[in-house]
Amino acid sequence: MHEYSIAYDIFATAKKTALDNSATMVRKVHMSVGEMTMINPEQVVFLFNTMKDEDPLFKDCILEYTDTPVKSVCKCGYEGSEKYVCPDCGGMPEIVDGREVRVTNIEIEVDEE
């Protein structure tokens, strides 16, 4: 179950960012989930929520996600969303996006002093 390690990494990234920026609260964390990651994003959200309940910095934090479709390129010049066989030449395209889980945005609150 690698969803747990992904949820933990997202939590740790958000916490480090919050502490580095003297945040008083983390409001929202946004992640993008590639189509080819083979993870269940709802499970990541559930596990993240379990972790954040222990930390007052994350009291009302929401983890949101968007799906990232596959983008691929081929040596023949094809660019598109084919995962396995280039529709132009029959070769194997290189997947350039859609295999990652990324934290794309962290919304925090800081004291204005």
Side-chain angles (χ1 to χ4, degrees):
M1 177 156 100
H2 57 282
E3 281 88 351
Y4 180 84
S5 61
I6 291 168
Y8 178 79
D9 287 346
I10 292 167
F11 177 79
T13 298
K15 183 159 184 153
K16 179 175 181 353
T17 300
L19 295 174
D20 288 351
N21 290 282
S22 304
T24 57
M25 186 159 299
V26 178
R27 287 283 177 206
K28 190 181 290 185
V29 178
H30 191 85
M31 69 176 174
S32 65
V33 180
E35 181 182 343
M36 297 292 287
T37 60
M38 308 305 264
I39 68 159
N40 180 338
E42 290 89 9
Q43 186 69 28
V44 174
V45 170
F46 173 79
L47 292 164
F48 178 87
N49 288 338
T50 302
M51 292 173 199
K52 73 155 180 117
D53 285 344
E54 302 292 320
D55 193 325
L57 192 61
F58 289 81
K59 181 178 181 244
D60 297 317
C61 182
I62 298 169
L63 175 60
E64 292 182 340
Y65 68 91
T66 55
D67 296 318
T68 303
V70 168
K71 291 181 188 170
S72 59
V73 296
C74 185
K75 292 181 223 173
C76 73
Y78 168 82
E79 291 185 21
S81 60
E82 182 55 49
K83 301 172 194 129
Y84 305 110
V85 178
C86 175
D88 292 345
C89 72
M92 182 146 182
E94 176 187 355
I95 296 174
V96 295
D97 202 11
R99 293 186 300 187
E100 306 83 15
V101 176
R102 294 183 181 124
V103 174
T104 57
N105 191 35
I106 301 171
E107 294 178 25
I108 60 173
E109 284 187 15
V110 295
D111 280 336
E112 298 292 325
E113 291 183 30

